[in-house]
Amino acid sequence: MRLILLGAPGAGKGTVAKMLTAIDGSVQISTGDILRAAVKEGTDLGKEAQGYMSRGELVPDALIMGIMGERLLEDDCQSGFLLDGFPRTIPQAEALKELLTKLNIELDGVVNLNVPRDVILDRLTTRRTCEDCGAIYNVKSNPPKVEGVCDKCGGKVVQRDDETEEAISKRLDVFNEQTAPLVGFYEKEGMLWDINATSSDEVVAVIKEKLGIA
Ligand code: AP5
């Protein structure tokens, strides 16, 4: 499958992407995960991105397109990809369109995950993430079996740096200003799948139905 997962911070893009990769081996490409890994490794990209991320702002489009222009050419993308957190601005969406046309790749659809704001705020303040493998947990709905320890790899399960109340509020404002207009962009392209994303199982079921997967 070749899908874009669109949605506010905490809408469940990462959770749904991980469930979808288990179906047919399509790769999850999360620009947030790529940037967090770069910050952790202290690369030039990480140093440049860190300030934007901890303030809850978007990293400049040119940096993101540099990453994605290379990532989409890698071999593991041949069997399908789930774009999680990209594109996030109209210029990124336009650049992606141009890139996919050049590579002769067609998207199956753009999944818009709709979740009420109060649910989002609750999810973000209760999310925990594995520092090592990126597995996503929630202290209320999906805690690790042993507190602070990843079920999958034994890594440390922590709260992300951008999960302060101030950064969450900034990320939601940035989403409304810069990312929400992508809904109209993809609607015009005839590619938008608007889905109620209160239940991740239901989101996956709708996507499978649209793709004709049993
Ligand atoms: P990024 O990592 O992409 O963060 P985000 O978009 O804010 O999305 P999140 O990861 O916070 O949420 P999610 O929708 O994946 O939800 P999740 O599945 O974890 O980006 C971080 C930063 O990087 C940005 O602020 C920006 O600075 C930079 N960046 C990244 N991409 C960029 C780009 N393209 N351009 C510019 N800058 C970029 O779920 C959330 C919680 O809810 C979890 O605890 C989960 O367990 C729980 N949950 C999920 N679904 C359900 C459910 N159905 N029921 C109950 N609980 C649920």
Side-chain angles (χ1 to χ4, degrees), residues 58-104:
L58 293 184
V59 169
D61 290 336
L63 272 188
I64 298 293
M65 287 319 300
I67 298 170
M68 291 306 291
E70 286 181 14
R71 184 65 187 89
L72 285 167
L73 296 179
E74 288 177 25
D75 287 347
D76 62 348
C77 293
Q78 300 305 316
S79 50
F81 51 77
L82 305 155
L83 301 182
D84 161 9
F86 170 83
R88 236 175 169 99
T89 62
I90 295 284
Q92 288 181 22
E94 283 167 345
L96 174 66
K97 186 177 171 186
E98 203 175 302
L99 180 64
L100 293 179
T101 306
K102 206 159 82 188
L103 298 174
N104 207 14

Side-chain angles (χ1 to χ4, degrees), residues 7-16 30-33 35-36 49 52-54 56-61 64 84-89 92 113 123-124 126-128 136-139 141-142 160 162-163 171 197-201:
K13 303 180 292 295
T15 301
V16 166
S30 156
T31 38
D33 287 350
L35 293 167
R36 276 185 291 278
Y52 295 103
M53 294 175 77
S54 56
E57 294 168 8
L58 293 184
V59 169
D61 290 336
I64 298 293
D84 161 9
F86 170 83
R88 236 175 169 99
T89 62
Q92 288 181 22
L113 303 174
R123 284 185 185 178
L124 286 178
T126 50
R127 173 172 53 190
R128 300 293 181 270
I136 302 166
Y137 297 95
N138 191 285
V139 291
S141 59
N142 175 32
R160 275 172 30 181
D162 60 357
E163 268 159 359
R171 282 161 59 207
T198 317
S199 151
S200 307
D201 287 334

Side-chain angles (χ1 to χ4, degrees), residues 8-11 13 36 52-58 88 117 120 124 127 160-179:
K13 303 180 292 295
R36 276 185 291 278
Y52 295 103
M53 294 175 77
S54 56
R55 287 191 299 273
E57 294 168 8
L58 293 184
R88 236 175 169 99
R117 190 183 166 99
I120 280 184
L124 286 178
R127 173 172 53 190
R160 275 172 30 181
D161 287 347
D162 60 357
E163 268 159 359
T164 61
E165 219 170 287
E166 200 184 347
I168 290 173
S169 156
K170 178 73 184 170
R171 282 161 59 207
L172 288 173
D173 289 347
V174 166
F175 172 79
N176 288 331
E177 283 159 25
Q178 300 189 55
T179 308

